[in-house]
Amino acid sequence: VQFVESGGGLVQPGGTLRLSCKASRSIFKIYAVGWFRQAPGRQRELVVAQEDGGRLTYGGSAKGRFTIYRNNADNELYLEMNSPLPEDTAVYYCNEFLLLTPIDDYDSWGPGTQVTVSS
């Protein structure tokens, strides 16, 4: 399955931004999905992932600020970013979350969407 992200842009610190992700086919049978990001000069990292039963896994400092939503009916994912900080500036990606696979070993990624947090 391929993913295409959208909704990025410039947001002020303390604001709100909602990212969207459209899958090329059904995500109903995908056990876990997640949002990832890559800042300039840094490795790609997990932001937040959601397993089929609702269990959440957070990376970095997203807990309490970012929320993942999964819409199986429309094959879409969303990331609601509340109170973003300048250090949240990165290209954001969505993908299947593979619990036992290092992120660098994932097969493919979508184009991503740029998020810039700045006043």
Side-chain angles (χ1 to χ4, degrees), residues 80-100:
E80 186 167 286
M81 304 172 63
N82 293 308
S83 299
L85 304 169
E87 49 263 45
D88 295 318
T89 295
V91 179
Y92 283 72
Y93 305 85
C94 62
N95 210 332
E96 181 177 2
F97 177 54
L98 305 174
L99 282 72
L100 301 180

Side-chain angles (χ1 to χ4, degrees), residues 13-114:
T16 300
L17 191 67
R18 186 178 175 96
L19 306 183
S20 298
C21 169
K22 181 71 175 180
S24 60
R25 58 176 176 81
S26 175
I27 62 172
F28 179 73
K29 292 186 178 180
I30 296 179
Y31 177 70
V33 291
W35 283 91
F36 305 79
R37 69 186 181 189
Q38 186 168 23
R42 301 189 64 177
Q43 289 188 316
R44 199 167 325 206
E45 63 178 5
L46 173 69
V47 177
V48 58
Q50 182 181 55
E51 297 177 29
D52 187 50
R55 177 181 177 181
L56 299 174
T57 301
Y58 285 95
S61 62
K63 190 172 184 177
R65 299 189 299 120
F66 295 177
T67 304
I68 183 172
Y69 297 96
R70 175 174 181 165
N71 181 348
N72 286 342
D74 295 329
N75 302 322
E76 293 181 336
L77 304 175
Y78 309 98
L79 180 69
E80 186 167 286
M81 304 172 63
N82 293 308
S83 299
L85 304 169
E87 49 263 45
D88 295 318
T89 295
V91 179
Y92 283 72
Y93 305 85
C94 62
N95 210 332
E96 181 177 2
F97 177 54
L98 305 174
L99 282 72
L100 301 180
T101 302
I103 293 173
D104 288 345
D105 292 343
Y106 283 25
D107 286 336
S108 65
W109 295 91
T113 187
Q114 175 71 48

